[in-house]
Amino acid sequence: MLGREGIAGLVCLVLSLGLLALTRDLPQSSMVPVGPGFYPRIVLVLMAALSVMLLVSDVLAGRRGRPAPPPARARLNYGLVAATFGVFVVYVFLLPALGFRIATFLFVAVLQAVLEPPRGWRRWVLVLVVAVLTSWVTHLVFEHYLSVLLPRGRWTGM
Amino acid sequence: MGVYEHLFASIVGIMHLKYLVPLFLGTLAGVIGGALPGITITMTIIMVLPFTFGLDPLQGLAAMTGVYVGGSAGGSITASLIGIPGTPSAVATTFDGFPMTRKGEPGRAIWIGVWAAFLGGLLGGIFLIASTGPLASIALEFGPWEYFSLFVFALSMVAGLVGTSLVKGLLSGAIGLVITVIGSDPIMGVPRLTMGSDFLRGGFPFLPVLIGIFAFAQLMSDIEKMRRGEPGAASSQPTPTLSTSQLKVLWEILSMPFVLVWSTLIGILIGVLPAIGGSAANIMAYDQAKKFSRHPEKFGTGIAEGIIASEASNNANVAGSLVTIMAFGIPGDAVTAVMLGAMTIHGIQPGPLFISQHPAIAYGIYAAYMVSLVLMVLIIAAGSRLWMRVISVPKSILIPAVLVLCVVGAYALSNIMDDVYTLLLFGIVGYAMVKFTIPLAPLILGLILGDQIEVNLIRAIATDPNPWLFITHPISGGLLAASVASVIMALWQHHRAKQRGITVDEEEADF
């Protein structure tokens, strides 16, 4: 059974070999002695070799008996991490559709509620005020004072 | 005009409101970001980055220099008041700062930290100004062989210095190099490894990758430790009084010149080394101060030496990092990596020609650094009653706002959503790397140096295909020998640490 390092080594090995296969299609150059595939092949072979070393060292460590992970690991809140990633992915894909102001308001409000579910109406008011302010102030500062254009919504036009 | 006349003229220039306002706001943001537990200086500079896009280059770099200086000192406020380092560069400040606060002297603890940061920063600044020009002139003599070897040396040293596994450090650096080969090749413009995708054709832009990797590695590592319904920061502590005699504190620091100067030198040296920053400097300086002390047993009980060592070193480290980026174009840490990205957006290439080609900006950065030290002291003094409230802002409010600024930072680079998708992709990569205990710093350095390594390698081969020239050119050969030595040294150190049974929690973002 592979440990974390072994899995990392395996993923990196597969990636580097896959990319190495793609370098075969690269053309040779007549202007310089080495073509566009020369350097990528060097770094990909290096990455593959290091991945193999990581994989092998993990397999050998597994045979010797891996030390038990520290007990604190079990208490990590991966559900909250997954929820945050989920809300962020939805935000990123809704940005071009809803526009910066609406998407940001929704994102900030929802993520606050996910990270610390509001108890009582005062907390809900705070969540909404923070969401409105973040969306409005960022838009105001960037569009009006720093000449940075933020995404416009395809569906909303704003 | 000499160096110091240039500097004086630049200090006068930076005092114009046009530059002073961004410098002040940057320093303020730095102090607040540094003081907030869980928000590192890297995170703060990532948040400030989009605000600098619409400014002229020196305004933007002044704001970033302010963040760097303010953040290095701001971390000590939280470290001394609540015993939690505001940034990793203030970890050692907690060892004596917090015990001093518990003994009823929070004002003394804070101000010893602030003045030590000021004095360490000032000495570091003198080194910065005096050494950048001569180091850049040495680098000007370099040909493609020497540059290639210098970048390889930087990468091998970083891979060996971070984390507890040399293989993982080198693998991280290799991943960084691989990311740079995706997209058009820098010599002929041939698309490489793009699989016909338009998204990959332009390659991955550096800043969205960096923001994604660092922001998500840090924020997600914080979120996984949060419990639902718990506020992310202390909120009900009484506000202590921070008043103390400034002259007495200054005299106390100056009466220990050895600790101050030695810690400053350690800070500068660590800063000059690529990609390791204040987080290593403060621990090393604290350790050294303890070793050289006549009363090492008192360290950790709330003595001034401990705070001075930590704070002088982490602010001097800022100057050291600026030297490396300005003389060689190699970032000293993640913060200077963002500054490098900001410079390239404005068409400025840091490196040996930087000072001669852009003297106004180079001296402007020196001036901004010096002035921001003074601003940092004034800001901490003016806000002394507010700091306890500032550091208790809940993470559930901070994290969404930080993520919004990350998105704006990525989007505003070229006003395209592709950069936001890159941010998301590398956010996942960054968090995965933390979980697989692969250090982040070598990847970032590989990402920054990848194109330069390739261009110099091809240039060297195009000039003369003889590969032995990399070894027979004395500087290039020396640098390659130093790369091999640093790898062997790292192997030996890791082996020794394993034998002594030293284990480190690797599952932390390394910045």
Side-chain angles (χ1 to χ4, degrees):
Chain A
M1 180 79 177
L2 286 178
R4 277 193 297 183
E5 294 186 356
I7 297 168
L10 194 63
V11 171
C12 290
L13 182 63
V14 170
L15 269 176
S16 52
L17 292 179
L19 291 173
L20 203 55
L22 289 177
T23 62
R24 283 190 310 177
D25 304 333
L26 290 171
Q28 267 302 320
S29 166
S30 53
M31 314 249 313
V32 281
V34 288
F38 173 72
Y39 175 74
R41 278 182 208 120
I42 296 176
V43 292
L44 285 164
V45 166
L46 179 72
M47 182 173 159
L50 289 163
S51 309
V52 170
M53 284 164 78
L54 194 60
L55 189 60
V56 170
S57 71
D58 185 72
V59 170
L60 292 178
R63 282 199 190 151
R64 284 195 296 267
R66 227 180 294 279
R73 293 271 171 277
R75 295 203 307 273
L76 294 178
N77 196 344
Y78 289 118
L80 205 53
V81 172
T84 307
F85 261 121
V87 176
F88 187 74
V89 169
V90 173
Y91 171 52
V92 165
F93 286 98
L94 279 182
L95 255 179
L98 296 180
F100 180 80
R101 276 173 282 186
I102 297 175
T104 300
F105 165 75
L106 292 173
F107 169 70
V108 176
V110 172
L111 189 54
Q112 281 185 87
V114 167
L115 292 175
E116 195 186 337
R119 294 190 194 119
W121 66 272
R122 277 170 196 266
R123 277 289 309 173
W124 274 111
V125 170
L126 180 68
V127 162
L128 294 177
V129 167
V130 170
V132 169
L133 279 179
T134 310
S135 165
W136 179 68
V137 172
T138 330
H139 186 266
L140 181 81
V141 170
F142 282 97
E143 290 243 337
H144 293 268
Y145 296 106
L146 296 169
S147 314
V148 171
L149 289 176
L150 297 169
R152 292 280 179 283
R154 246 190 345 261
W155 299 344
T156 58
M158 59 183 289
Chain B
M1 208 160 39
V3 171
Y4 290 95
E5 282 111 345
H6 258 305
L7 176 69
F8 184 71
S10 298
I11 288 179
V12 173
I14 212 95
M15 299 302 275
H16 286 160
L17 277 184
K18 181 184 172 191
Y19 298 110
L20 197 60
V21 170
L23 181 62
F24 172 80
L25 292 175
T27 313
L28 178 66
V31 172
I32 294 173
L36 284 168
I39 302 288
T40 58
I41 308 172
T42 311
M43 284 304 311
T44 315
I45 209 148
I46 284 172
M47 286 191 280
V48 167
L49 177 71
F51 293 97
T52 67
F53 291 158
L55 305 176
D56 83 28
L58 185 54
Q59 283 178 308
L61 288 166
M64 291 187 167
T65 309
V67 171
Y68 204 178
V69 172
S72 297
S76 72
I77 298 173
T78 333
S80 291
L81 284 186
I82 58 172
I84 300 168
T87 65
S89 61
V91 169
T93 313
T94 58
F95 300 162
D96 279 289
F98 190 49
M100 193 179 275
T101 295
R102 280 205 292 205
K103 283 197 282 188
E105 296 179 298
R108 185 169 157 239
I110 294 271
W111 281 103
I112 287 175
V114 172
W115 283 114
F118 176 82
L119 294 169
L122 203 62
L123 292 173
I126 294 168
F127 172 81
L128 166 71
I129 294 155
S131 67
T132 308
L135 283 173
S137 340
I138 296 171
L140 274 177
E141 305 295 319
F142 284 14
W145 299 272
E146 286 80 9
Y147 271 120
F148 172 82
S149 304
L150 174 70
F151 296 146
V152 169
F153 171 56
L155 209 51
S156 64
M157 198 163 58
V158 171
L161 283 171
V162 295
T164 54
S165 157
L166 178 67
V167 173
K168 281 194 272 184
L170 290 171
L171 179 62
S172 171
I175 297 171
L177 295 177
V178 168
I179 295 170
T180 64
V181 300
I182 297 171
S184 302
D185 96 275
I187 308 283
M188 307 294 295
V190 177
R192 298 186 298 200
L193 316 177
T194 58
M195 293 166 271
S197 150
D198 283 339
F199 174 63
L200 294 176
R201 201 177 169 84
F204 290 114
F206 161 66
L207 280 171
V209 175
L210 185 142
I211 297 172
I213 285 189
F214 277 115
F216 279 80
Q218 176 69 55
L219 294 178
M220 294 301 170
S221 301
D222 281 347
I223 288 171
E224 67 186 20
K225 293 183 194 100
M226 285 171 76
R227 305 252 77 85
R228 277 190 194 227
E230 273 180 23
S235 53
S236 58
Q237 306 212 12
T239 308
T241 168
L242 301 183
S243 58
T244 189
S245 162
Q246 303 294 338
L247 279 178
K248 214 169 138 189
V249 163
L250 261 173
W251 177 246
E252 196 174 354
I253 297 170
L254 292 172
S255 64
M256 291 178 251
F258 176 77
V259 177
L260 179 69
V261 173
W262 188 236
S263 308
T264 301
L265 286 176
I266 291 170
I268 292 171
L269 183 71
I270 298 281
V272 168
L273 297 177
I276 51 165
S279 50
N282 74 106
I283 301 278
M284 211 176 275
Y286 185 88
D287 185 52
Q288 287 283 309
K290 193 174 172 181
K291 271 184 190 151
F292 283 112
S293 172
R294 275 184 228 132
H295 43 79
E297 73 286 353
K298 286 189 183 166
F299 273 72
T301 61
I303 60 168
E305 283 106 311
I307 306 174
I308 296 169
S310 174
E311 286 303 309
S313 69
N314 71 25
N315 254 53
N317 168 77
V318 174
S321 293
L322 289 174
V323 171
T324 328
I325 195 172
M326 288 168 78
F328 300 108
I330 299 174
D333 58 11
V335 182
T336 38
V338 180
M339 287 175 87
L340 187 142
M343 285 187 196
T344 48
I345 290 169
H346 289 289
I348 301 163
Q349 184 62 48
L353 291 170
F354 176 58
I355 297 180
S356 49
Q357 284 181 343
H358 305 281
I361 295 177
Y363 282 90
I365 293 175
Y366 295 157
Y369 176 81
M370 291 304 205
V371 175
S372 65
L373 286 169
V374 179
L375 290 175
M376 172 268 288
V377 173
L378 294 176
I379 287 169
I380 293 177
S384 62
R385 285 176 177 278
L386 286 173
W387 297 123
M388 206 65 203
R389 283 193 199 154
V390 167
I391 61 181
S392 47
V393 175
K395 279 188 181 153
S396 60
I397 291 178
L398 277 176
I399 290 170
V402 172
L403 285 173
V404 167
L405 286 176
C406 290
V407 167
V408 173
Y411 179 82
L413 279 173
S414 335
N415 281 4
I416 49 170
M417 280 306 290
D418 279 359
D419 288 345
V420 183
Y421 303 140
T422 303
L423 168 89
L424 173 63
L425 174 68
F426 282 92
I428 296 167
V429 171
Y431 182 60
M433 286 179 69
V434 173
K435 296 322 289 178
F436 285 118
T437 67
I438 296 174
L440 305 175
L443 182 144
I444 294 301
L445 200 64
L447 192 66
I448 292 166
L449 300 181
D451 278 346
Q452 290 294 316
I453 290 178
E454 177 170 12
V455 167
N456 283 293
L457 177 68
I458 305 291
R459 252 185 221 155
I461 294 172
T463 313
D464 191 332
N466 178 9
W468 291 105
L469 290 177
F470 285 101
I471 296 166
T472 53
H473 277 222
I475 296 177
S476 170
L479 286 165
L480 286 181
S483 312
V484 175
S486 75
V487 168
I488 293 171
M489 180 88 173
L491 276 175
W492 178 71
Q493 277 180 336
H494 291 155
H495 177 70
R496 208 174 55 158
K498 210 180 257 178
Q499 275 192 331
R500 287 183 183 175
I502 300 169
T503 52
V504 181
D505 184 12
E506 287 183 279
E507 209 177 285
E508 290 290 338
D510 54 320
F511 47 90

